[in-house]
Each structure stands twice: as C-alpha cells, then as structure tokens.
Amino acid sequence: MSEATFIETPAGRHLKSRVDAVMAIYKEHGHVNRSLISEKLALSKLQSSQLLREFLSAHAPVLAWDNFKNGYKAHSKFKAH
C-alpha cells in the first residue's frame, strides 16, 4: 500500500499505522484473523474486529477468506509491503 492511499492528516497517519500493525501480523503468520489481532495487540474482540475491518478495507481486492487457516489470506500475486 502506498503512502498516497492515506490522507495526510493526523487521523490518516493513525489509520496507516493501525493497518501497518495488522500487516506485520499478516507477514508473521501468513494470514490474519480477529483472534490473532486480539492476541498480538492485546485488544478486545470488538477492537480487533474494527481493526480487521480497517485492514480489509485497505486490502480488499487481494484478500480472501481461507477456511483451512481460518483467516484472511492474500492471493498469490499479492506482495506484503
């Protein structure tokens, strides 16, 4: 995701850092779901759900649910930045 994707305001930078935090979890595990976000960032399930929605919004075209991993996983052509 490019820097230009986010509006250059304090709120835009905050959203980018939140999405980047989920991207780090994705890179570590190869998939991401609410439970992983909750565990890694010490968030409630509700907070984790909101953060996952933000991540999915930013990367929707390249992510799909993986029943085997029980989480979202990117298509093979996606490169995590």
Side-chain angles (χ1 to χ4, degrees):
M1 169 181 343
S2 71
E3 293 288 329
T5 304
F6 296 95
I7 297 171
E8 278 302 313
T9 64
R13 285 187 295 277
H14 179 67
L15 175 60
K16 182 181 181 328
S17 69
R18 291 168 53 87
V19 170
D20 287 347
V22 178
M23 180 59 77
I25 295 168
Y26 175 83
K27 286 178 182 180
E28 181 181 347
H29 294 275
H31 69 284
V32 69
N33 60 32
R34 186 183 70 170
S35 296
L36 272 175
I37 294 169
S38 179
E39 176 187 326
K40 294 291 185 176
L41 301 178
L43 298 174
S44 71
K45 296 295 182 186
L46 184 61
Q47 291 169 319
S48 299
S49 293
Q50 176 62 37
L51 192 50
L52 181 58
R53 279 192 299 275
E54 292 170 359
F55 181 75
L56 292 174
S57 267
H59 297 293
V62 296
L63 294 170
W65 182 257
D66 182 327
N67 285 323
F68 181 72
K69 293 276 190 179
N70 197 27
Y72 288 92
K73 191 172 178 184
H75 303 286
S76 60
K77 60 186 174 185
F78 175 68
K79 293 181 182 171
H81 335 271

